[in-house]
């Protein structure tokens, strides 16, 4: 049963396939017939289509010719029809009509120029050009007047505020831009010189008010250090203002010209000012190499680092981009000069051989100036970068023992100490020399402790030099007080003398010797000074602890002995008076009091 159904289904499928083939053959035949008929129709209509295309082209040509003729006819009289509007110029509230008239006249000139071989065109073309030139002149005049009247000479502080300053009133910038576009479209580019003259004059006036002008090294050489430093600060302020003005001048040129022309115009506006700024900086860098100048140069270098990167972003791609390279070279020159000044200063410490009598033993001006110099140098944020070529995070690592900066400072202080030892020979006596060296080394130690120099020199240096201070203190004590103490402590020897006259004579001599020495100490060492309060207390404490008890013991013992008819004249100082003199008079620098 199943096989019969399968056979039946197979026959039906076969019949359908035969029918499908027949339909395909018939459809193919119909399509071929239709294609042949279409080709025949196309051949028959080809002449008609060709004629239609030709007629259409002719119609378009006729239309264009008519439009050109009408345009030419209108252009022949355009300068006369628009002459009144253009002659009045744009400054009487007629800006839009003036600009439209200029645009139409410019188009008319182009049309007339294309047909200048026609006899009737030549006179019209010349007249149109004359009117257009007059319009360009009116346009330039209005542009110059608008720009000049609305350009502002602002004080320097206006450019250093966060909100900045407006070089030109924003309300007139659209007018300046359309006038510029009109003149550029008319190939009237002379107005750009007008823009440059006005804006450069305003810019130069701003910087002249800040002190920027042509100078020479001889002028700077003649200035006192205070005035020289003031000039450096003026220059630093100038370059900070310069960054802001450059940004705004560049934006103004782009707003007014809105084309590639803005770059060229911007470059011409700022060119002279940039030259003056650079020349001013160069003269500062090369003049007077006094060591006081180092800090001014470090200030210059520090501010230039910040400013140059900003200026680079403004001037990149402009005709004045080379200014960035010039400033970078100036930074290098400043660093080089600073390094040389520092080296010369190091050498000068050892070469300071001026000797004068030292009367009070206080800190020597050379020692004070060197330590003050170093403390100021270590506080400066730029000395590492400039003098030791250290930058960035490496700066913190440089404050450690053993690096080049540490070695340099240790050497300088060693030279200073050696020089001070030489100068101590100018003291009146060896006790004053010891006190002088104690004071100066103590000043060096305290100055190092109070600055980053302590990190550079380390605990070993500190310990050694504190011991040096102690050694000089002991040397002073040994010279001044040990002979007195030794003499006072030997008073028992006087009591052992066999005869009374000899004993009395020895006691009197010992009193005379003490009174003479202590009076001399009082008179001379009251004029001396120990400027360090802690050190002064320490020295006085030692005297009180060792000399005063010796005198008290001697004084008390002699009061019990009848060694003279008028003993009072030998007791010149009581113990209390001696203590008061030590506490209130010694090392108080009473030379002028």
């Amino acid at each position: 049963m199943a096989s019969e159904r399968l056979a039946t289904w197979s026959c039906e499928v076969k019949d359908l396939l035969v029918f499908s083939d027949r339909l395909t053959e018939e459809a193919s035949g119909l399509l071929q017939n239709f294609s042949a008929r279409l080709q025949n129709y196309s051949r028959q209509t080809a002449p008609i289509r060709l004629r239609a295309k030709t007629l259409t082209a002719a119609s378009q040509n006729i239309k264009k010719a008519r439009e050109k003729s009408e345009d030419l006819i209108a252009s022949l009289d355009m300068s006369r029809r628009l002459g009144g509007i253009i002659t009045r110029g744009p400054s009487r509230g007629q800006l839009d009509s003036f600009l439209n008239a200029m645009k139409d006249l410019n188009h008319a000139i182009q049309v007339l120029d294309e047909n200048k071989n026609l006899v009737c065109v030549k006179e019209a073309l010349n007249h149109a050009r004359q009117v257009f030139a007059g319009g360009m002149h009116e346009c330039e005049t209005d542009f110059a007047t608008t720009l000049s009247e609305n350009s502002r000479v602002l004080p320097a502080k206006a450019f250093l505020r966060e909100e900045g300053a407006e070089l030109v009133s924003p309300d007139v910038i659209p007018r300046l831009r359309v006038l510029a576009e009109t003149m550029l479209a008319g190939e009237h580019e002379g107005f750009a010189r007008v823009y440059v003259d006005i804006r450069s004059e305003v810019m130069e006036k701003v910087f002249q008010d800040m002190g920027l002008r042509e100078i020479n090294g001889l002028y700077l050489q003649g200035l006192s250090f205070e005035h020289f430093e003031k000039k450096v600060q003026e220059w630093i302020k100038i370059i900070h203002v310069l960054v802001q003005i450059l940004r705004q001048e560049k934006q103004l040129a782009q707003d007014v010209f809105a084309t590639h022309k803005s770059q060229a115009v911007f470059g011409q506006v700022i060119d002279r000012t940039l030259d003056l700024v650079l020349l001013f900086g160069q003269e500062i860098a090369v003049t007077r190499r006094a060591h006081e100048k180092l800090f001014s140069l470090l200030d210059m270098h520090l501010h230039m680092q910040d400013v140059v990167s900003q200026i680079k972003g403004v001037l990149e791609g402009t005709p004045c981009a080379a200014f960035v390279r010039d400033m970078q070279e100036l930074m290098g020159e400043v660093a080089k000069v600073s390094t040389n000044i520092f080296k010369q200063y190091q050498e000068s410490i050892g070469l300071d051989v001026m000797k004068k009598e030292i009367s009070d033993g206080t800190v020597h001006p050379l020692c004070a100036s060197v330590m003050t110099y170093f403390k100021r140098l270590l506080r400066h944020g730029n000395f590492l970068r400039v003098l030791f070529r250290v930058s960035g995070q490496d700066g913190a690592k440089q404050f450690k023992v053993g690096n080049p900066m540490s070695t340099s400072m240790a050497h300088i202080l060693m030279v200073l100490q050696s020089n001070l030892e030489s100068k101590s020979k100018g003291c009146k006596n060896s006790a004053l020399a010891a006190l002088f060296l104690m004071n100066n080394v103590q000043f060096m130690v305290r100055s190092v402790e109070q600055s980053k120099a302590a990190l550079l020199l380390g605990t070993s240096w500190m310990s050694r030099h504190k011991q040096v201070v102690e050694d000089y203190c002991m040397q002073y004590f040994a010279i001044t007080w040990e002979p007195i103490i030794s003499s006072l402590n030997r008073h028992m020897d006087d009591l052992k003398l066999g005869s009374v006259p000899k004993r009395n004579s020895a006691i009197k001599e010992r009193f005379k010797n003490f009174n003479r020495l202590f009076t001399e100490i009082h008179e001379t060492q009251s004029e001396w000074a120990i400027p360090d309060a802690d050190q002064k207390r320490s020295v006085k404490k030692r005297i009180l602890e060792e000399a005063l008890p010796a005198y008290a013991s001697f004084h008390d013992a002699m009061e019990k002995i009848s060694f003279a008819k008028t003993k009072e004249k030998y007791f010149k100082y009581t113990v209390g008076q001696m203590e008061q003199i030590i506490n209130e008079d010694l090392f108080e620098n009473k030379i002028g009091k």
Side-chain angles (χ1 to χ4, degrees):
M1 197 68 175
S3 60
E4 290 179 358
R5 283 197 299 273
L6 181 61
T8 302
W9 182 79
S10 177
C11 289
E12 290 176 355
V13 170
K14 184 177 181 182
D15 292 340
L16 288 172
L17 289 172
V18 171
F19 180 71
S20 176
D21 290 341
R22 189 166 59 252
L23 287 177
T24 300
E25 290 176 0
E26 291 177 357
S28 177
L30 289 173
L31 288 173
Q32 289 177 357
N33 182 46
F34 185 69
S35 176
R37 294 175 65 186
L38 282 176
Q39 289 177 358
N40 184 47
Y41 178 77
S42 179
R43 283 193 298 271
Q44 292 176 356
T45 60
I48 298 173
R49 285 186 284 107
L50 181 60
R51 285 196 296 274
K53 184 177 181 180
T54 302
L55 290 173
T56 300
S59 176
Q60 292 175 345
N61 290 335
I62 291 170
K63 182 179 179 181
K64 289 179 181 179
R66 185 173 63 250
E67 289 175 350
K68 285 187 176 182
S69 298
E70 291 173 353
D71 199 11
L72 176 60
I73 292 170
S75 297
L76 288 170
D77 196 40
M78 187 70 72
S79 61
R80 290 180 173 80
R81 286 188 287 110
L82 299 178
I85 298 174
I86 292 174
T87 302
R88 286 194 296 270
S91 59
R92 301 177 186 176
Q94 306 292 328
L95 179 62
D96 290 339
S97 59
F98 173 82
L99 294 176
N100 289 331
M102 290 294 290
K103 181 178 179 181
D104 291 344
L105 183 58
N106 190 30
H107 173 72
I109 290 173
Q110 293 175 359
V111 171
L112 294 173
D113 191 60
E114 292 173 356
N115 297 276
K116 60 185 176 183
N117 292 329
L118 298 176
V119 176
C120 61
V121 169
K122 185 175 181 180
E123 182 179 351
L125 178 59
N126 290 336
H127 185 264
R129 285 174 172 167
Q130 291 175 2
V131 174
F132 188 78
M136 285 290 110
H137 177 72
E138 292 294 331
C139 203
E140 180 180 310
T141 300
D142 188 79
F143 180 89
T145 302
T146 303
L147 180 62
S148 179
E149 291 178 351
N150 290 276
S151 290
R152 303 167 177 173
V153 180
L154 299 171
K157 62 182 180 182
F159 296 98
L160 298 176
R161 294 196 296 260
E162 290 186 7
E163 63 271 19
E166 295 172 342
L167 303 179
V168 173
S169 174
D171 297 338
V172 302
I173 289 180
R175 182 184 188 91
L176 293 172
R177 181 167 55 247
V178 295
L179 290 171
E181 290 172 349
T182 299
M183 287 184 280
L184 287 173
E187 299 182 353
H188 182 77
E189 298 190 3
F191 80 99
R193 186 69 251 172
V194 173
Y195 177 91
V196 169
D197 291 343
I198 293 173
R199 289 307 311 155
S200 60
E201 182 179 353
V202 172
M203 187 175 182
E204 289 172 18
K205 183 66 169 64
V206 171
F207 285 103
Q208 283 174 3
D209 292 344
M210 295 176 65
L212 181 64
R213 51 184 54 84
E214 289 189 21
I215 59 172
N216 57 59
L218 293 177
Y219 167 72
L220 293 176
Q221 289 280 16
L223 294 179
S224 66
F225 172 70
E226 290 74 17
H227 284 91
F228 176 81
E229 192 168 30
K230 183 179 178 182
K231 286 296 178 183
V232 174
Q233 294 306 315
E234 283 180 2
W235 188 82
I236 289 172
K237 185 177 181 181
I238 283 170
I239 62 174
H240 280 288
V241 171
L242 179 66
V243 174
Q244 304 305 322
I245 290 184
L246 290 181
R247 286 197 183 106
Q248 294 179 51
E249 283 289 354
K250 184 177 183 180
Q251 186 60 52
L252 178 62
Q254 291 173 343
D255 290 342
V256 171
F257 291 88
T259 65
H260 65 282
K261 185 77 174 175
S262 66
Q263 296 281 45
V265 170
F266 168 64
Q268 294 175 47
V269 169
I270 65 175
D271 184 57
R272 174 168 166 75
T273 297
L274 295 184
D275 286 345
L276 288 176
V277 170
L278 184 64
L279 179 61
F280 194 173
Q282 290 171 337
E283 292 293 347
I284 289 173
V286 300
T287 192
R288 293 201 320 169
R289 298 197 174 186
H291 68 268
E292 297 93 344
K293 179 184 169 184
L294 176 60
F295 299 100
S296 296
L297 293 180
L298 291 177
D299 286 342
M300 277 184 68
H301 196 279
L302 179 64
H303 288 276
M304 287 175 72
Q305 292 174 72
D306 177 48
V307 168
V308 169
S309 61
Q310 296 182 57
I311 291 178
K312 182 178 180 181
V314 178
L315 297 184
E316 195 168 13
T318 71
C320 293
F323 178 73
V324 176
R325 184 189 67 247
D326 294 335
M327 287 289 280
Q328 290 171 337
E329 291 177 355
L330 177 58
M331 281 179 63
E333 181 63 23
V334 169
K336 180 181 177 182
V337 172
S338 299
T339 302
N340 289 336
I341 290 175
F342 184 63
K343 289 179 179 178
Q344 291 171 8
Y345 179 67
Q346 294 180 71
E347 295 169 358
S348 71
I349 296 170
L351 297 175
D352 184 354
V353 294
M354 181 181 292
K355 294 181 180 180
K356 64 177 183 178
E357 183 178 333
I358 296 171
S359 60
D360 59 3
T362 192
V363 175
H364 194 277
L366 175 64
C367 182
S369 67
V370 169
M371 299 314 298
T372 301
Y373 195 84
F374 269 105
K375 285 197 290 186
R376 184 179 176 188
L377 186 64
L378 292 170
R379 287 196 302 268
H380 201 287
N382 204 33
F383 85 99
L384 284 171
R385 181 190 300 273
V386 177
L387 302 182
F388 295 94
R389 303 295 188 269
V390 177
S391 60
Q393 296 180 350
D394 291 337
K397 298 178 182 178
Q398 289 301 309
F399 285 99
K400 62 181 182 180
V401 179
N403 63 24
M405 184 169 57
S406 170
T407 304
S408 174
M409 186 166 188
H411 175 72
I412 290 171
L413 295 183
M414 181 181 69
V415 172
L416 172 62
Q417 186 175 340
S418 176
N419 197 326
L420 291 170
E421 289 172 356
S422 176
K423 293 182 185 301
S424 70
K425 296 174 182 177
C427 294
K428 296 177 180 178
N429 56 59
S430 56
L432 180 59
L435 191 79
F436 170 76
L437 291 171
M438 179 193 75
N439 283 333
N440 281 272
V441 177
Q442 175 68 7
F443 184 79
M444 291 166 60
V445 170
R446 282 299 172 88
S447 298
V448 169
E449 283 181 328
Q450 296 168 1
S451 69
K452 292 180 179 180
L455 299 174
L456 287 170
L457 298 173
T459 56
S460 177
W461 187 94
M462 295 293 293
S463 299
R464 287 198 315 273
H465 285 77
K466 284 181 179 180
Q467 184 58 51
V468 170
V469 174
E470 180 61 22
D471 291 344
Y472 283 129
C473 179
M474 291 175 64
Q475 186 177 336
Y476 157 77
F477 195 85
I479 296 170
T480 303
W481 295 101
E482 284 186 3
I484 294 177
I485 295 171
S486 177
S487 174
L488 292 173
N489 286 338
R490 291 199 305 273
H491 71 273
M492 295 302 295
D493 296 341
D494 299 338
L495 300 179
K496 296 177 183 179
L497 294 173
S499 65
V500 172
K502 287 183 178 181
R503 180 201 66 183
N504 292 345
S505 176
I507 292 173
K508 291 176 183 178
E509 189 62 33
R510 201 170 297 281
F511 261 114
K512 289 178 182 179
N513 184 56
F514 171 79
N515 290 336
R516 177 181 58 78
L517 290 175
F518 189 71
T519 299
E520 182 181 330
I521 290 172
H522 185 200
E523 290 176 352
T524 58
Q525 297 193 19
S526 294
E527 298 178 353
W528 295 1
I530 301 179
D532 186 287
D534 292 337
Q535 185 67 19
K536 184 193 295 185
R537 281 193 295 270
S538 176
V539 173
K540 288 186 175 184
K541 181 181 177 183
R542 185 167 186 174
I543 297 171
L544 291 170
E545 288 177 348
E546 298 190 30
L548 191 62
Y551 180 67
S553 176
F554 171 69
H555 187 280
D556 292 345
M558 294 305 106
E559 277 189 328
K560 300 174 184 178
I561 299 173
S562 178
F563 61 88
K565 292 180 180 181
T566 54
K567 289 172 36 175
E568 293 76 12
K569 74 176 184 179
Y570 293 100
F571 289 93
K572 184 175 182 180
Y573 299 98
T574 65
V575 175
Q577 288 173 330
M578 181 177 179
E579 182 177 8
Q580 183 179 6
I581 288 171
I582 294 171
N583 281 326
E584 297 180 7
D585 291 351
L586 296 191
F587 318 123
E588 297 299 334
N589 196 19
K590 294 186 176 183
I591 189 168
K593 298 180 182 179

